[in-house]
Amino acid sequence: MKLSAIISTLGRDREVESVLASLEAQSFRDFEVIIVDQNEDDRLAFVEREKYSFPIQRIRTPDRHGLSIGRNDGIRACQGDYVVFPDDDCWYPYDFFERAVDTLEELDLDGLTGRAADENGNSINGRFEVSAQFITRKNVWTTQIEWVAFFRRQLLNDLGGYDPRVGVGADSAWQACEGQELALRAIQAKAKLYYDPSLFGHHESLDSPRPDKALVQKARKYARGHGRVLRMHKYSILDIGFWVSRPSLKAAFYAASLRFRLAIHALNTAVGRLEGYFDPAPRTLHTQLPKQSK
């Protein structure tokens, strides 16, 4: 098996159907799909009723929540040489898998990342580099998003998978940047990671000119994850200062323009990053995936 797609999901069903439809349309066919179903109910029963052209396995873990935990559960069960982690509400161009596998093998990479884009190819939900480049500690923050990232399965095993205390749904305050955290450990292990902006997937845009309370709260939770990972991997006070100054300046600009909701959103991002960076909790990894020998 060349590729495994691991989808960790909770609380969604129609969106999961859409993800699987976009995988069904892929031009590359040598892949399997593993659904890690964290729902207590049986809303994803259709997965076992439908006939897909690819192998699909549904793993039910209603007592285990968290995106990173789900991905690690999927890694234990997968067989592919490479692994990708689709969100349960994203979708991909028809040649997404084909382009990724070709690049991974042509450049002999340990990991390949891309970006989030709308249907016209315009970047959304983050700031991304515009040119292809190898991933380093400096650019790791602008060269990836978790559901457009491929890794060798052996690398994931060697690293121990994702840190389950970082990421959406984790039992912690650090609700984002689990992908960067994993990539930083891979870089430390001398893995060869590459970013290609021509590789992108699609997702609903999280940007809003009038962010509501829920979006502001999400921004702060995600920002705490960013700050936490910066501190875990020994980024300096100057580094956190840079990442706090950007949203702080945006907040001031929006306030001066009387766009107060955007100002509050940006200010919460700045505060969240500080909260994550100066969180007094021990800065140790909590990986659950046992390392495997080559």
Side-chain angles (χ1 to χ4, degrees), residues 148-165:
V148 192
F150 296 76
F151 296 98
R152 288 189 190 272
R153 179 163 60 96
Q154 185 62 60
L155 174 64
L156 294 171
N157 285 327
D158 290 344
L159 294 175
Y162 286 88
D163 187 326
R165 299 213 63 203

Side-chain angles (χ1 to χ4, degrees), residues 164-178:
R165 299 213 63 203
V166 180
V168 174
D171 184 19
S172 75
W174 319 308
Q175 297 288 300
C177 291
E178 71 275 17

Side-chain angles (χ1 to χ4, degrees), residues 263-279:
I264 292 171
H265 184 272
L267 184 60
N268 271 269
T269 297
V271 171
R273 287 173 179 170
L274 284 171
E275 289 173 334
Y277 189 83
F278 290 105
D279 192 311

Side-chain angles (χ1 to χ4, degrees), residues 37-282:
D37 179 1
Q38 298 182 341
N39 295 291
E40 294 185 3
D41 59 32
D42 202 24
R43 70 183 63 200
L44 298 183
F46 72 87
V47 169
E48 291 158 351
R49 293 195 306 264
E50 295 292 328
K51 294 186 182 299
Y52 296 100
S53 62
F54 46 79
I56 187 166
Q57 177 183 176
R58 177 186 176 209
I59 301 172
R60 301 198 65 185
T61 59
D63 58 338
R64 292 169 58 78
H65 291 175
L67 196 51
S68 292
I69 286 175
R71 288 168 177 161
N72 286 351
D73 288 342
I75 293 169
R76 292 187 185 94
C78 74
Q79 300 297 319
D81 299 318
Y82 304 103
V83 185
V84 63
F85 301 92
D87 261 7
D88 60 3
D89 59 346
C90 73
W91 64 101
Y92 298 114
Y94 77 95
D95 60 348
F96 179 71
F97 282 177
E98 182 178 6
R99 287 167 55 86
V101 172
D102 285 349
T103 302
L104 283 161
E105 296 194 332
E106 180 182 351
L107 299 181
D108 190 26
L109 300 172
D110 297 305
L112 173 67
T113 68
R115 59 190 177 90
D118 61 21
E119 294 284 3
N120 295 317
N122 301 309
S123 293
I124 59 171
N125 301 344
R127 186 165 63 92
F128 298 96
E129 299 293 335
V130 297
S131 61
Q133 53 199 274
F134 284 98
I135 299 175
T136 66
R137 278 177 58 90
K138 183 177 180 179
N139 67 15
V140 70
W141 309 102
T142 53
T143 53
Q144 64 184 288
I145 194 161
E146 287 80 6
W147 48 276
V148 192
F150 296 76
F151 296 98
R152 288 189 190 272
R153 179 163 60 96
Q154 185 62 60
L155 174 64
L156 294 171
N157 285 327
D158 290 344
L159 294 175
Y162 286 88
D163 187 326
R165 299 213 63 203
V166 180
V168 174
D171 184 19
S172 75
W174 319 308
Q175 297 288 300
C177 291
E178 71 275 17
Q180 284 84 0
E181 196 285 316
L182 177 69
L184 285 164
R185 280 188 281 133
I187 292 168
Q188 186 176 5
K190 308 300 182 184
K192 188 178 178 183
L193 307 183
Y194 191 72
Y195 164 76
D196 184 352
S198 71
L199 182 71
F200 55 79
H202 303 304
H203 196 286
E204 180 183 356
S205 176
L206 300 179
D207 299 325
S208 171
R210 294 177 61 82
D212 58 18
K213 183 178 180 180
L215 197 57
V216 169
Q217 291 176 340
K218 180 184 287 189
R220 190 155 175 173
K221 291 177 181 177
Y222 283 15
R224 289 191 188 114
H226 188 174
R228 174 68 174 181
V229 174
L230 283 166
R231 189 62 179 269
M232 285 171 67
H233 288 275
K234 297 181 173 56
Y235 283 81
S236 70
I237 291 292
L238 290 178
D239 291 314
I240 186 60
F242 169 79
W243 287 106
V244 169
S245 67
R246 289 178 58 85
S248 298
L249 290 172
K250 284 184 179 181
F253 172 77
Y254 289 136
S257 305
L258 305 182
R259 290 182 282 179
F260 296 115
R261 289 192 183 183
L262 285 173
I264 292 171
H265 184 272
L267 184 60
N268 271 269
T269 297
V271 171
R273 287 173 179 170
L274 284 171
E275 289 173 334
Y277 189 83
F278 290 105
D279 192 311

